[in-house]
Amino acid sequence: MKPTLLILAAGMGSRYGGLKQLDAMGPSGEVVLDYSVFDAIRAGFGKVVFVIRRDFEEQFRTQIGSKFGDRIAVDYAFQDITDLPAGFTVPEGRTKPWGTAHALLAAEKVVHEPFLMINADDFYGRDAFAKIAADLTTARPEDGISHYSMVGYYLRNTLSDHGSVSRGVCTRDAASKLCSVTEMTKIFKTATGAENRETEPAVPLTGSEIVSMNFFGFTPDIFTHLREAFTEFLQTNGSDIKAECYAPKVVNDLIQAGKADVTVLESNDSWFGVTYPEDKADVVASIQALVTAGAYPQSLWS
């Protein structure tokens, strides 16, 4: 069974100032997720599912989804903050989505095969897709726990010069199994590496830490785990208008409970992405350099 590419594209782009998922970055007008779909197709993925919001569905289908119809199967799932388990309601004043775990749950009805979860606005590189595709098409042992995978990146290669970023900071064992993921949401680049300023004093980081960039390979049993975790999250944080349920935290909790393991794969490619408007020039230049080097054609879909 060919794996599915699940692209999280429902984010508001609040720090960037708009729908960065639809902002052209490539030499022929490509957006960042065009390169992810292109890499997924040549890695052997059979379907792409976009998790989006209803309010920009028509624009997204026209500008993005229509390009892939004759190249790979395309489907959509919709993240809605009112889509909650029975007994829960949206607190007054909340407009923010519930986070990546909730976004994943939105796709449960359309994803029935092993799949890769990625962000719409992150560039991961061809090697990462090839390695995760090989892993997703490998049989899992039937030993009572879930077996997942991820591609990790060095923190120093994922920072912005223009503000803070959120990253899942990982530890792994000698067998390349993920030991823990700590979500840090205010990581700033510094002269000596980085630091997380969520609390005082700030937590110093070297920059050599492996971080999750939401490049996870899952089997469909993740949805059962997500439903349980999201319900528990709402019981504790349901009245908080800003709290989010992060997929990496769910994965971390599963590891700590002995319910899952995650193989950390290494990629030879560099990650880059756009968090702030000022990041765009760097992404455009990086993509052009890859095109010039022959890694991608001048026009992906011509």
Side-chain angles (χ1 to χ4, degrees):
M1 182 180 294
K2 290 184 176 182
T4 285
L5 173 62
L6 178 65
I7 301 181
L8 304 182
M12 295 171 135
S14 57
R15 288 178 294 182
Y16 183 74
L19 290 176
K20 58 186 174 181
Q21 297 92 341
L22 305 182
D23 202 355
M25 303 284 175
S28 297
E30 294 88 355
V31 298
V32 169
L33 68 81
D34 278 325
Y35 291 92
S36 292
V37 175
F38 186 83
D39 284 332
I41 290 172
R42 59 183 175 179
F45 284 72
K47 181 171 70 173
V48 57
V49 173
F50 296 106
V51 180
I52 61 174
R53 300 195 314 271
R54 287 283 186 187
D55 61 292
F56 63 85
E57 176 186 2
E58 183 177 354
Q59 183 186 14
F60 198 96
R61 285 180 181 267
T62 300
Q63 295 187 27
I64 302 297
S66 62
K67 291 185 285 189
F68 313 128
D70 60 347
R71 296 176 173 89
I72 189 172
V74 177
D75 209 340
Y76 297 87
F78 301 94
Q79 186 178 16
D80 186 331
I81 64 170
T82 65
D83 184 12
L84 299 175
F88 295 97
T89 58
V90 179
E92 183 178 356
R94 183 172 187 114
T95 59
K96 190 178 185 66
W98 292 102
T100 51
H102 184 248
L104 274 179
L105 277 172
E108 183 174 9
K109 293 182 180 179
V110 296
V111 176
H112 310 289
E113 54 283 316
F115 68 96
L116 166 63
M117 176 194 83
I118 68 168
N119 295 329
D121 49 359
D122 291 346
F123 188 105
Y124 297 98
R126 178 179 184 175
D127 185 58
F129 283 90
K131 288 181 175 174
I132 206 86
D135 178 81
L136 289 173
T137 52
T138 300
R140 265 56 173 165
E142 297 182 6
D143 55 5
I145 68 172
S146 300
H147 298 282
Y148 306 135
S149 56
M150 63 167 282
V151 170
Y153 294 81
Y154 290 109
L155 174 61
R156 61 175 171 267
N157 294 331
T158 73
L159 299 172
S160 172
D161 291 325
H162 309 292
S164 69
V165 296
S166 298
R167 300 288 182 257
V169 179
C170 305
T171 61
R172 55 181 174 169
D173 63 20
S176 291
K177 296 295 184 182
L178 187 64
C179 295
S180 66
V181 183
T182 302
E183 197 70 29
M184 298 186 179
T185 61
K186 290 186 178 179
I187 299 178
F188 288 82
K189 188 175 183 179
T190 66
T192 58
E195 62 182 18
N196 182 38
R197 300 176 186 170
E198 284 180 88
T199 59
E200 292 291 342
V203 177
L205 300 163
T206 66
S208 62
E209 295 84 359
I210 292 292
V211 296
S212 159
M213 301 307 300
N214 278 349
F215 198 95
F216 279 98
F218 291 121
T219 50
D221 62 352
I222 187 65
F223 294 118
T224 299
H225 295 310
L226 288 167
R227 283 197 305 273
E228 294 173 355
F230 187 56
T231 299
E232 292 176 3
F233 165 83
L234 290 173
Q235 290 170 345
T236 304
N237 303 284
S239 62
D240 188 334
I241 64 172
K242 293 185 178 181
E244 295 184 61
C245 186
Y246 297 108
K249 183 182 185 304
V250 175
V251 171
N252 179 68
D253 291 345
L254 291 173
I255 293 171
Q256 305 313 314
K259 295 180 179 180
D261 66 22
V262 178
T263 300
V264 180
L265 306 172
E266 295 185 3
S267 172
N268 296 321
D269 293 330
S270 297
W271 172 96
F272 50 87
V274 174
T275 302
Y276 301 93
E278 295 84 357
D279 294 325
K280 180 178 178 178
D282 293 335
V283 173
V284 171
S286 296
I287 290 176
Q288 184 57 60
L290 288 169
V291 171
T292 301
Y296 296 93
Q298 181 74 18
S299 177
L300 290 184
W301 311 118
S302 60

